[in-house]
Amino acid sequence: MAAPTSYDVIIIGSGPGGYIAAVRCGQLGLKTAIIEKYSTLGGTCLNVGCIPSKAVLESTELYQKATHQFAEHGIDADNLRADLPRMMARKDQVVKKVCDGVVFLMKKNKVDVLHGVASFVDATTLRVAPSDGGSGEEQQLTAKNIIIATGSKPSTLPFITLDKERIITSTEALALRELPKHVIIVGGGVIGLELGSVYARLGSKVSVVEYTDAIIPTMDRTLGKELLRSLKKQGLEFYLSHKVTAVERAGDTVTLTAQGGPSAELKLEGDYCLVSVGRRPYTEGLNLAAAGVELDEKGRVKVNEDLQTTAPGIWAIGDVVRGAMLAHKASDEGVYVAELIAGKTPEVNYLLIPGVVYTWPEVASVGYTEEQLKEQGKAYKVGSFPYSASGRAVAGADTEGLVKVLTDAQTDEILGVHMIGARIADIIAEAVGIMHFRGAAEDVGLMSHAHPTYAEAFKEACLNAAGIGALNM
Ligand code: FAD
Ligand code: NAD
């Protein structure tokens, strides 16, 4: 084996945590390498997560609009047909384009890319072995700093065997070549609702079985209630407060059994079952013990507030550490660690990491939920504005939704913003911006918002929260 090559920073994993960390390290003049076990760069997000899911959400949303809304706009669109294999082929092209973009970014920022499985030899040395089925020699690399950005994998329940054909995860659900007749979804969280929407829009029957009494249960409760109403109208079926006890496959049929109360057994039969009950941190094969890197009680890499692990010089970011499993959170942490290594004083404000669900209507949230403020005993005010009162929403025939703003009862500072409706995924950025500067609801009320826009609903909700009164309600 050749003598190990030395770097300032080596990053394990090329998802939005790892590749963004690599870009920033390169920009800061650090000699950097990134190791990825798959043949493409981009991790879960670009290959089997954010990007492919948004590609098929977009395609199916267009189809849904064409089949259900065009007539209202005076457009006849008879004999429309969705071609699933073509939609999937487009999605594959989108994925290829964004993954190739990461290869370009690595070159541009002079980051060495190695494909193979990384594991620790000791706290400063990594072994890179060929990935499954790959050929080539094992290599050793050393670095002053190592960033673990190995991400996450889908979780399951102990009694469910994921056969990846009929009992599937999001990865397979994003690559189906036939339209399911009936998809049963375990878990009414983000993945279940986004991918459930995709198949419901194409005509599949979709049943969601959720353990808690609400969908998207970790977001502000108002959002779950509103979204439930909209998705039911779109034909999705929901079984809330149901404890799944079995999922079994016989031939092409999948049967789910759940308990909805002491004597309320539910049995559902479908041709696919999507298990979307969360994701687990991925650290398999890293040999963390050799480097002195410890895990916490949930199997995540243990880190301090600076994302340092229990071993000096080893850092961890993204889905593999505590906090929301979101691409932009992973990227923010990647920049943070790169800048710390370069001697800068970066910051990440975890309270202001927005969450978005790309259903229709879209859902977005930032800051504290009303439930959290109640729990803290905080005195707060609520302002809201319905999309039905927005001229832009009426013109666009997209009147489902609302904006809810939570403010400090004494100071009027915005503490949380929770929105559901058209184009909300982009409007939340305004809420993040104003909260970043610790702005008050009245500040937003004083800012000019172009008319007619969906963003005006945020201003109106702020005027309402500030006690000035919404202008269009
Ligand atoms: P990952 O993206 O998981 O990347 C980790 C990489 O490390 C992988 O490429 C893996 O192969 C590699 N790796 C692991 N171990 C090794 C090893 N030993 N050696 C070498 N390489 C290794 N988030 C959003 O913010 N918005 C969305 O719209 C969104 N949609 C999603 C949709 C779906 C269907 C899914 C599944 C997830 C979605 N997410 C979304 C979540 C998002 O994908 C993750 O939060 C994000 O990818 C985490 O980034 P990461 O860099 O921490 O890890
Ligand atoms: P999730 O945590 O969003 O939802 C899991 C759901 O499953 C919850 O509602 C939970 O109550 C339910 N559940 C748990 N155990 C159950 C059981 N035994 N029976 C029935 N229901 C059960 O997880 P997910 O949807 O799998 O997504 C995984 C991660 O990926 C999330 O952390 C999310 O942040 C990320 N993601 C983000 C986006 C986005 O930002 N738009 C999209 C997809 C995924």
Side-chain angles (χ1 to χ4, degrees), residues 281-298:
Y282 185 69
T283 55
E284 271 158 48
L286 280 173
N287 195 23
L288 293 176
V293 175
E294 291 171 20
L295 301 182
D296 69 12
E297 68 297 343
K298 291 187 173 163

Side-chain angles (χ1 to χ4, degrees), residues 185-197 208-231 236 238-241 276-278 326 355-366 369-372 402 417-421 424:
I185 297 179
V186 187
V190 200
I191 291 183
L193 301 182
E194 287 187 357
L195 297 183
S197 296
V208 180
V209 184
E210 164 60 43
Y211 180 70
T212 68
D213 62 355
I215 58 170
I216 44 169
T218 53
M219 294 180 102
D220 189 283
R221 284 282 165 139
T222 306
L223 300 180
K225 276 189 212 145
E226 292 292 321
L227 184 61
L228 185 67
R229 203 173 15 232
S230 293
L231 292 179
L236 283 86
F238 289 89
Y239 300 91
L240 304 181
S241 304
S276 49
V277 292
L326 294 173
V356 173
V357 188
Y358 295 82
T359 44
W360 197 261
E362 292 173 338
V363 177
S365 208
V366 65
T369 63
E370 190 165 356
E371 292 72 34
Q372 286 170 330
L402 58 84
V417 179
H418 309 285
M419 309 169 154
I420 173 166
I424 285 298

Side-chain angles (χ1 to χ4, degrees), residues 12-73:
I12 312 174
S14 71
Y19 90 77
I20 290 292
V23 167
R24 196 75 189 107
C25 286
Q27 288 170 340
L28 292 165
L30 299 164
K31 187 180 177 200
T32 307
I34 191 163
I35 307 170
E36 170 54 55
K37 69 175 186 177
Y38 289 121
S39 57
T40 55
L41 302 182
T44 304
C45 179
L46 276 62
N47 288 279
V48 292
C50 329
I51 298 298
S53 60
K54 268 76 255 179
V56 291
L57 276 159
E58 186 70 29
S59 301
T60 55
E61 191 184 308
L62 290 173
Y63 180 64
Q64 171 89 358
K65 280 200 189 304
T67 47
H68 289 77
Q69 282 193 348
F70 273 18
E72 188 183 342
H73 288 277

